Amino acid sequence: IFLVTNPDVPSIRNAQRLVDRVRQLGAGSERIKILLNRDSDQNIIASKQIETALGYGIHHTFSSDYRAVSTALNSGVPLALANNSELAAQFATFSRQILGQHDQVAAEPEKRRAFLGLL
């Protein structure tokens, strides 16, 4: 269960309520993962405070990039295809984690041998 929250008091309070409700419904705490959206250096509430308030560590963080998101929305092109922003890279990393591919690097292509090198 991915619970997305922003680093502001109303969002964190709503996240606390959702965490409590999910626990009441019997979901194991190991199934709950916290995603922090719109993270920046300007946040008044620190990540550690959010983790303390929710009782869970932050599983993944997405930075606040209004310009990249706005451009993607207005052009109708998905963020991952629109540009090479840090936010697009964060979405790609998160997607690979979900798929179990954990930052795999592309394998180096095999070097071709020259014809005479085969002899």
Side-chain angles (χ1 to χ4, degrees):
I1 300 168
F2 292 108
L3 192 147
V4 181
T5 189
N6 290 339
D8 58 61
V9 173
S11 295
I12 295 167
R13 183 63 187 126
N14 285 337
Q16 285 175 324
R17 289 182 184 122
L18 284 170
V19 165
D20 291 343
R21 184 65 180 140
V22 168
R23 286 180 182 161
Q24 288 174 353
L25 293 172
S29 61
E30 70 281 352
R31 293 184 62 200
I32 299 173
K33 307 287 186 211
I34 305 298
L35 305 179
L36 182 60
N37 190 35
R38 302 197 68 177
D39 186 40
S40 77
D41 295 336
Q42 311 303 319
N43 292 341
I44 295 173
I45 302 172
S47 297
K48 291 293 181 193
Q49 290 176 308
I50 295 170
E51 291 174 340
T52 301
L54 298 179
Y56 291 92
I58 294 174
H59 179 72
H60 197 84
T61 300
F62 298 99
S63 62
S64 182
D65 190 348
Y66 178 80
R67 181 172 289 155
V69 172
S70 178
T71 300
L73 282 172
N74 290 329
S75 66
V77 177
L79 183 65
L81 301 176
N83 60 28
N84 292 325
S85 69
E86 178 65 26
L87 184 56
Q90 291 167 356
F91 280 123
T93 299
F94 177 67
S95 299
R96 284 191 300 274
Q97 284 178 350
I98 290 174
L99 296 173
Q101 296 175 351
H102 303 291
D103 289 334
Q104 291 177 350
V105 290
E108 290 185 32
E110 291 183 28
K111 294 182 180 179
R112 291 185 167 207
R113 296 184 198 172
F115 177 72
L116 293 177
L118 295 175
L119 299 175

